[in-house]
Amino acid sequence: MSGEQLPERPGEGAARPDQPKPPELSGVDLARQALVAAKEQARARGAAAQQKKQARRGGLRSGARADGRDPLPLGAAINRLITERGWETPAAVGGVMGRWPQMVGPEVAQHCEPQKYDEDARVLTVQCDSTAWATQLRLLAPQLVARLNQDLGQGTVKLIKVLGPGGPGRRYGPLRAPGSKGPGDTYG
């Protein structure tokens, strides 16, 4: 076996004449390569030590840089909650209920108050303190719907349901005429 040569497998043994030899690394290149390898090992050891330390402390802690666990200002937290839950339209309509006097004017706002908003039907219900103001608001309803949709986005409010005054509660007793609504006859 001393004079025989073993057949070479591809990728092993002597370099083929048609392939260029890789350049041999000099002292500076070897030092750079060793430095890169040492940095990678140190980074891996540091990451492992950091994970171990965090596990001992009970989890991740906030550091000097901002991340998702940092506290938010109240307004930003509320806006994020509204967006995540899909409450944009009800929140916008709620804002209109808070700005009702600016939307309809102080005189109308004194006599008519928004009660509720039905998101599915897109109906805003408004209660008025007299039948005269209810009639007035019914006449202004198309313009008010246009103004609300301009402020909130097209199609947010399709209809304004106007309610008249509620009137006193019903009383039953011996002095009531059969079939009479009592004071409810006066209130529409």
Side-chain angles (χ1 to χ4, degrees):
M1 283 219 165
S2 60
E4 293 180 53
Q5 285 207 350
L6 297 172
E8 292 185 33
R9 289 188 232 157
E12 287 186 2
R16 302 198 187 263
D18 56 328
Q19 291 181 348
K21 288 184 178 182
E24 292 191 25
L25 299 176
S26 66
V28 173
D29 292 329
L30 282 173
R32 280 191 192 132
Q33 196 175 37
L35 180 63
V36 168
K39 283 183 178 180
E40 287 176 10
Q41 290 173 353
R43 209 173 291 125
R45 280 192 312 267
Q50 183 69 20
Q51 288 175 349
K52 192 175 182 182
K53 186 176 179 183
Q54 287 173 350
R56 221 179 313 126
R57 285 191 306 193
L60 294 174
R61 305 252 176 163
S62 185
R65 291 181 183 83
D67 61 8
R69 297 168 294 149
D70 287 342
L72 293 174
L74 183 60
I78 289 174
N79 287 338
R80 188 165 114 186
L81 179 68
I82 287 171
T83 303
E84 287 173 355
R85 303 282 171 111
W87 295 340
E88 287 92 358
T89 302
V93 172
V96 165
M97 289 184 177
R99 294 179 294 139
W100 184 252
Q102 291 87 12
M103 297 288 293
V104 297
E107 189 177 10
V108 175
Q110 186 177 4
H111 299 283
C112 304
E113 180 183 350
Q115 296 295 311
K116 66 179 179 176
Y117 174 71
D118 183 7
E119 187 176 359
D120 296 330
R122 307 225 183 263
V123 175
L124 179 66
T125 304
V126 179
Q127 177 87 42
C128 297
D129 63 0
S130 70
T131 54
W133 277 104
T135 303
Q136 182 69 23
L137 196 64
R138 284 185 190 106
L139 294 173
L140 292 174
Q143 293 136 355
L144 193 55
V145 166
R147 172 108 187 253
L148 289 169
N149 284 330
Q150 180 184 12
D151 195 35
L152 300 173
Q154 203 56 29
T156 304
V157 178
K158 290 184 178 178
L159 177 71
I160 294 180
K161 183 177 177 181
V162 181
L163 303 176
R170 308 232 176 198
R171 296 187 320 217
Y172 298 98
L175 300 178
R176 299 279 167 235
S180 169
K181 292 183 180 179
D185 288 337
T186 313
Y187 296 95

